[in-house]
Amino acid sequence: MAVFIYIQWDQIPQQVPMHYNALGKIDSGGSKYQILVLPTISILLYIFMTVVSFFPQIWNVPVQVTNENKEAVYLSTKNLIIFLKVEMLTIFFYLNYHTVTAQPLSISFLPIFIITIFGTLAFFIVRIIRLGNEKKHNCEL
């Protein structure tokens, strides 16, 4: 994102979109220097999620973590974080591109964004619950 902004800097208009409504239409603008906010937020979010991924014991998971299921649950949760990082960076780049080029977003952006993020969360939550229950059931046998 930062490289894209750097390359495009001379072509970026003085006023750029800063906010889009639910239909993807530009509904507020700002200085071209404000486009630096998106890469900054994405870098900070990426760093935060990376740091958190190294401390599985602080994660809130929907199953009781035991010695038997710990490895599988933590691996699945770490994969969730990896998927979310990729999705968030993709979304931020898409927003950054449209902001730099002063284009409205596609009307399908918001539904795709919501389905992607919540779909990923739902998939991994179900997977973690199944892994936790599977390991618990195997221990009872």
Side-chain angles (χ1 to χ4, degrees):
M1 281 184 269
V3 171
F4 180 70
I5 290 171
Y6 179 77
I7 291 169
Q8 296 292 320
W9 190 256
D10 292 335
Q11 289 80 33
I12 299 173
Q14 290 302 314
Q15 288 285 56
V16 293
M18 284 289 103
H19 192 268
Y20 300 89
N21 66 19
L23 298 175
K25 304 282 186 225
I26 300 165
D27 63 3
S28 99
S31 163
K32 80 183 213 176
Y33 292 97
Q34 289 178 300
I35 62 172
L36 300 174
V37 170
L38 282 174
T40 303
I41 290 172
S42 64
I43 290 168
L44 293 174
L45 187 59
Y46 185 87
I47 291 169
F48 172 75
M49 291 176 83
T50 300
V51 169
V52 166
S53 72
F54 289 110
F55 300 100
Q57 65 277 9
I58 67 170
W59 301 339
N60 186 11
V61 292
V63 294
Q64 183 175 357
V65 178
T66 63
N67 285 335
E68 291 78 24
N69 71 6
K70 181 168 53 174
E71 187 175 324
V73 169
Y74 287 166
L75 178 62
S76 193
T77 307
K78 193 168 190 168
N79 286 337
L80 166 63
I81 291 172
I82 291 167
F83 270 80
L84 288 175
K85 284 190 325 187
V86 169
E87 290 168 1
M88 294 304 293
L89 287 176
T90 303
I91 290 165
F92 271 88
F93 185 81
Y94 180 81
L95 288 170
N96 188 59
Y97 174 80
H98 283 270
T99 300
V100 168
T101 58
Q103 296 178 23
L105 300 174
S106 166
I107 193 167
S108 61
F109 170 74
L110 187 58
I112 290 171
F113 168 75
I114 290 171
I115 290 168
T116 301
I117 297 298
F118 287 105
T120 300
L121 286 170
F123 172 81
F124 278 99
I125 288 170
V126 168
R127 183 176 176 179
I128 291 166
I129 290 170
R130 285 184 180 163
L131 285 170
N133 290 338
E134 181 181 294
K135 298 288 183 180
K136 182 180 177 184
H137 178 71
N138 289 342
C139 289
E140 292 173 355
L141 296 177

